[in-house]
Amino acid sequence: MAEFSAPATLEEALEQLRQPGALAVGGGTQVGLLVRHGMLQPRRLVWLGRVSELHGIRVENGALAIGAGATLAEIATSPRVRQLHPMLAEAAAQIGNPRVRAVATLGGHLAHADPRQDLPPVLLALGASILVERGRSRREVPAGDFFTAPFETVLDQDELVTLVRIPPGSPRRRSRYVRFAPGSESDYATVGVAASVELEGDTVLAARMALCGVHPRPLGLDLVELHGRRLDDRSREIAAEAVARACDPVGDQRGSAAYKRAMAGLWTRRVLRQLAADRAHGGG
Ligand SMILES: Cc1cc2nc3c(=O)[nH]c(=O)nc-3n(C[C@H](O)[C@H](O)[C@H](O)COP(=O)(O)OP(=O)(O)OC[C@H]3O[C@@H](n4cnc5c(N)ncnc54)[C@H](O)[C@@H]3O)c2cc1C
């Protein structure tokens, strides 16, 4: 039976995680399952819920700074997140079910690194970075470099995600996240697509797309092919083709690799159509 501790400070938590066999616990929605099924056999569970430094959602120098201890429900309902990056709040609100969202934390979500998870593509599209700490050292990792393989990240065993920083967006930017979950709304998505596009009138200045569910890790793409083009049917086609070419899906119970590739293209077209409609209505 693993020992359990609930440190009150980040320093204590990081110190405890240096011990062999220690494992961080955020909301425990994955740790609980993995320990119950014998896939993890930690000697000590270090619960982060009391660490005050990991809590809070604030604005620092124009950037949105979200503590790793923020729950998905807090992110979904935070007035700051909804105002600055509504795409992130909307994506968080669609994850799992209310019981999962009430306890699951941003830090646990990122460290778990399931390639089907919804927030990584949103964070990639928004150009977020992830603050990682160990002992007295810290490094800031761009979200695009954080995930290395299915369920793997750049984190070492004694490192913690402490904060996610999202730089301020340009007023010209429109962002949207769509997910296709044909099974049930609370299921993982077959594909999720986040789009973040800077527009001058209806001309694209920059376009970043990021996807989950169709690649071994969250897939982020800067679509330079769209620069200078109007956001019309032809641009949507170019984007869909680029995404379908870049992704590398694995067939499973949600569909074959070919089906998922087709869905990645289709939902890329859809999210860009949605963005164009948002622009027409002055939203997004
Ligand atoms: C029923 C169900 C439905 C779900 N549906 C979806 C869905 O539709 N979309 C989706 O995206 N996700 C879904 N999920 C996954 C969910 O997003 C993750 O389970 C959750 O975000 C993990 O967060 P946690 O805080 O509970 O992690 P934990 O279980 O506490 O930890 C997960 C991993 O992260 C490590 N860890 C925890 N905190 C930190 C930290 N601060 N720094 C470093 N490492 C840390 C732990 O050691 C562990 O390895 C679902 C999960 C369940 C149970």
Side-chain angles (χ1 to χ4, degrees):
M1 179 72 107
E3 286 177 30
F4 179 86
S5 60
T9 67
L10 183 58
E11 191 181 352
E12 263 180 75
L14 288 167
E15 184 56 38
Q16 292 182 11
L17 283 169
R18 292 166 70 105
Q19 296 167 19
L23 183 72
V25 184
T29 59
Q30 295 301 330
V31 170
L33 287 172
L34 294 169
V35 169
R36 198 173 326 134
H37 292 295
M39 294 164 80
L40 283 179
Q41 288 161 337
R43 283 199 228 156
R44 175 186 285 268
L45 294 169
V46 181
W47 182 55
L48 303 173
R50 289 182 58 217
V51 178
S52 55
E53 293 99 317
L54 298 181
H55 290 286
I57 299 177
R58 51 194 178 272
V59 177
E60 288 173 357
N61 302 325
L64 182 66
I66 307 178
T71 65
L72 302 183
E74 283 166 355
I75 293 170
T77 56
S78 156
R80 281 205 176 97
V81 181
R82 292 167 75 94
Q83 184 204 346
L84 294 174
H85 300 292
M87 163 165 79
L88 176 59
E90 282 157 21
Q94 296 181 68
I95 291 176
N97 57 52
R99 280 189 305 162
V100 169
R101 293 194 293 273
V103 293
T105 62
L106 181 57
H109 186 86
L110 296 176
H112 183 54
D114 185 327
R116 301 169 303 173
Q117 287 182 156
D118 293 280
L119 297 192
V122 170
L123 296 175
L124 257 72
L126 292 173
S129 57
I130 297 170
L131 192 65
V132 172
E133 298 197 44
R134 164 184 18 215
R136 289 179 195 282
S137 72
R138 53 166 60 186
R139 57 190 174 127
E140 193 148 350
V141 183
D145 297 339
F146 182 79
F147 306 94
T148 53
F151 304 98
E152 286 190 23
T153 69
V154 297
L155 285 175
D156 284 332
Q157 190 260 328
D158 58 350
E159 285 185 315
L160 279 179
V161 172
T162 54
L163 192 83
V164 169
R165 226 188 294 272
I166 305 176
S170 139
R172 294 174 172 149
R173 185 163 78 183
R174 297 280 180 273
S175 301
R176 266 274 177 182
Y177 179 67
V178 294
R179 75 200 291 273
F180 173 51
S184 87
E185 269 183 18
S186 63
D187 204 1
Y188 285 95
T190 303
V191 58
V193 190
S196 188
V197 178
E198 268 186 48
L199 291 165
E200 170 118 29
D202 63 355
T203 301
V204 177
L205 301 180
R208 187 178 291 161
M209 314 288 301
L211 292 90
C212 63
V214 291
H215 203 67
R217 58 198 185 103
L219 174 68
L221 294 171
D222 278 317
L223 294 182
V224 287
E225 302 92 315
L226 297 194
H227 294 184
R229 300 190 68 96
R230 292 181 54 220
L231 194 54
D232 56 10
D233 283 347
R234 180 67 197 130
S235 293
R236 286 191 272 278
E237 203 46 49
I238 291 171
E241 280 168 16
V243 162
R245 246 193 334 269
C247 69
D248 183 14
V250 176
D252 58 18
Q253 77 277 16
R254 287 181 170 74
S256 67
Y259 170 77
K260 289 188 184 179
R261 193 183 296 280
M263 286 298 106
L266 177 68
W267 286 84
T268 295
R269 267 187 234 112
R270 287 193 176 163
V271 75
L272 290 176
R273 195 171 304 123
Q274 188 69 59
L275 268 188
D278 289 345
R279 198 190 71 80
H281 296 108

